[in-house]
Each structure stands twice: as structure tokens, then as C-alpha cells.
Amino acid sequence: MYSETPALPVIEPVVRDDMIAACYEVMRELRPHLTADEFVARVRQQATAGYRLAAAFVNDEVVAVAGFRVCENLAWGRFLYVDDLVTRSDRRSRGYGAALLAWLKQQAVTEGCIQVHLDSGTWRTDAHRFYEREGMRLSSFHFVWDVVGMSAS
């Protein structure tokens, strides 16, 4: 039986608007509330606070996307925070997400970070297994309080 070996992805920072737009369909799988019309503008706006995109390409097709930023705080020092990490659903289990995460880890080293952090929804058990398999560990709980509806008085 013949089994095709997946092509190795090319990982690149995404900097041009046309490249950002090309990432939308993949990012939409993780962030379905975003629309194509607003995606580039939202990425550009977040970039003013240090947000960046990187993508895994196979044959010029986006197969995985990561949104990340380099931050520093008193708790962790300098760290790379992964806001978004998603592989196209029909391309999972081919090593593309692992390759992109490895690229992010190397980016953290290059930028003088001491850790890589990310949050993952409690219901995303497949993602949790992936992160643990890639050497990450569960280190904390993340709590949220919605401000919507509160007055500023």
C-alpha cells in the first residue's frame, strides 16, 4: 500500500496584506467570529501592540497559522505568547502544527525569551494533548471577568 509522505512546510513571517488575507480561511477555524472583511485590519491594529503572524505553507498554500507577540512581565520575564495556533482541519496530523510550534520556540530563543506561553480553551482536549506531546506543560488556570454591560461610573 502506497502512503504519500506529507511535504515539509515552509514557515514564514506574514507581513504583507495579501499574505495576511491568505491566512484568513485557516484562522477562521479557530476564530469563527472574525469576518474576511475585518481580518487584515484587525491584524494590522493588533500589530501596533506587537502582534505578528507566521504561517506554514505547503506548495504556496497556507496549512497552519500562528499569531504571537513577545512580551515581558514581572511573573515570567521576557516570553513569547502564542495568541493563536491552528492547522487546517483537513491537514491535521501531518506535522504542520508541530513544525510551526517548533518555529515559534526558535523565534523565542532568537528574541531572547525565556519561555513560550499560550492559553487553550478547556474544551480543546485534542489541542492539549498536542501541546503536551510537543513538550509544553499545564502551568496555570486563566480566569476571565466580562466587562461588557458594566458602567464606568
Side-chain angles (χ1 to χ4, degrees), residues 3 9 12 17 21-22 33 60 70 73 100 121 124-125 143 153:
S3 174
E12 293 182 16
D17 286 355
H33 62 282
D60 295 324
V70 172
N73 66 22
L100 188 50
R124 300 191 69 231
T125 55
F143 294 91
S153 56

Side-chain angles (χ1 to χ4, degrees), residues 25-43:
E25 287 300 324
V26 177
M27 184 66 80
R28 183 175 69 139
E29 292 189 29
L30 182 64
R31 309 288 181 221
H33 62 282
L34 297 175
T35 66
D37 291 340
E38 71 180 331
F39 184 64
V40 173
R42 294 272 306 262
V43 169

Side-chain angles (χ1 to χ4, degrees), residues 95-110:
Y96 303 144
L100 188 50
L101 186 55
W103 185 91
L104 290 164
K105 290 174 181 177
Q106 184 55 53
Q107 190 70 25
V109 170
T110 299

